[in-house]
Amino acid sequence: MAYDRADFQRLKASLSETLTDDTGDPLSCLLHETPHSHGLLNLSFGDAEHEFYHVAEACNIASVITSIERILSLPRSNLACEEMAEVLLLRLDVLREYICTAIRRSQSVQYAETEADRVIRRWAGFLKHPNDYVFAHCCFSDLDVSFDPPAIEIDCAFLANWDSLKISERDQRKSELAHRIVIVCLPGIAKIEAFFKSSADHLKHLIATNSKDGRAAERAQS
């Protein structure tokens, strides 16, 4: 499947709804207000009235959220959306890795990978290392014709199954799929929205755990 402008607009709205706070800033910025965050810096300029906190990981995550919003804002045609689809999915995986790393380094929260996280991780693995999966002819996949043998569909179910295989089983599967026609079916919009929600839940949990007075946690939930 391919994404169109309506899909990107929907995802942009969903990103804003789930991964920004009540002021419109990326949700991770609230980590600056949580005194128990990992790597917290207490900065001041001149006097205590200008004292503020800074958490590098909060900025790193925020920059990725902002870059995803820009990607979703860029395309002006359906063709442009199709061309940006892989860039979008790879950037989502960067967000997944940043959040995972921030949680694991915090030592206050246990990272639990959700199915939504796994979907993005698997697709990023396929897009970055396609030859680890199949040697195939994808260039015919958009033709409205039938194939004999039938084309292989690379979709979420295919990648989930692949994820469960042992190395020897993957090598055997690669041999079976060699030189087959392949149709790549990217994850549906609902799965990307589920990933936005999963990312937000991870961040809210981290914010709540590291928040001393609870105010940042309340803002994250609003």
Side-chain angles (χ1 to χ4, degrees):
M1 69 169 289
Y3 305 137
D4 57 25
R5 290 186 65 193
D7 293 327
F8 269 44
Q9 291 169 1
R10 171 177 161 180
L11 287 174
K12 182 180 177 182
S14 178
L15 178 77
S16 176
E17 181 179 347
T18 56
L19 281 167
T20 62
D21 63 20
D22 56 355
T23 68
D25 290 329
L27 194 61
S28 62
C29 292
L30 292 175
L31 288 170
H32 295 311
E33 303 176 23
T34 57
H36 301 288
S37 289
H38 174 81
L40 181 86
L41 292 179
N42 186 354
L43 306 176
S44 61
F45 296 93
D47 57 61
E49 292 182 3
H50 297 90
E51 184 179 79
F52 66 98
Y53 299 106
H54 183 269
V55 181
E57 290 167 341
C59 286
N60 293 339
I61 295 170
S63 69
V64 180
I65 292 173
T66 299
S67 71
I68 293 170
E69 191 274 336
R70 289 174 181 155
I71 289 171
L72 293 171
S73 302
L74 282 174
R76 294 294 181 266
S77 68
N78 289 338
L79 178 59
C81 291
E82 293 179 23
E83 293 175 343
M84 291 296 292
E86 292 187 10
V87 177
L88 171 64
L89 290 172
L90 291 172
R91 201 60 180 158
L92 294 179
D93 192 55
V94 174
L95 177 61
R96 181 194 64 79
E97 289 191 355
Y98 265 125
I99 291 175
C100 174
T101 300
I103 290 174
R104 286 175 173 166
R105 291 184 65 189
S106 72
Q107 299 181 344
S108 61
V109 179
Q110 292 294 318
Y111 178 77
E113 187 181 52
T114 67
E115 179 56 30
D117 300 330
R118 284 189 282 271
V119 166
I120 298 302
R121 173 175 57 77
R122 291 164 182 159
W123 273 103
F126 172 73
L127 294 174
K128 288 186 289 186
H129 309 289
N131 283 349
D132 287 349
Y133 296 79
V134 290
F135 294 96
H137 298 269
C138 297
C139 53
F140 300 112
S141 62
D142 58 349
L143 298 179
D144 188 19
V145 295
S146 59
F147 300 99
D148 185 19
I152 301 297
E153 287 194 3
I154 307 294
D155 55 14
C156 291
F158 178 98
L159 295 181
N161 176 261
W162 189 276
D163 211 22
S164 68
L165 298 178
K166 299 177 182 178
I167 298 298
S168 60
E169 293 173 326
R170 292 181 184 182
D171 289 340
Q172 176 62 35
R173 187 73 172 131
K174 283 171 63 175
S175 177
E176 294 170 356
L177 297 178
H179 309 300
R180 293 285 297 275
I181 301 295
V182 165
I183 298 175
V184 178
C185 301
L186 298 177
I189 299 303
K191 290 189 179 295
I192 297 179
E193 290 181 319
F195 172 70
F196 288 163
K197 183 180 183 304
S198 176
S199 298
D201 288 344
H202 287 313
L203 288 173
K204 289 175 181 179
H205 189 195
L206 183 59
I207 291 165
T209 302
N210 294 340
S211 183
K212 188 174 183 178
D213 57 16
R215 285 179 294 179
E218 290 176 4
R219 286 181 57 195
Q221 296 295 334
S222 64

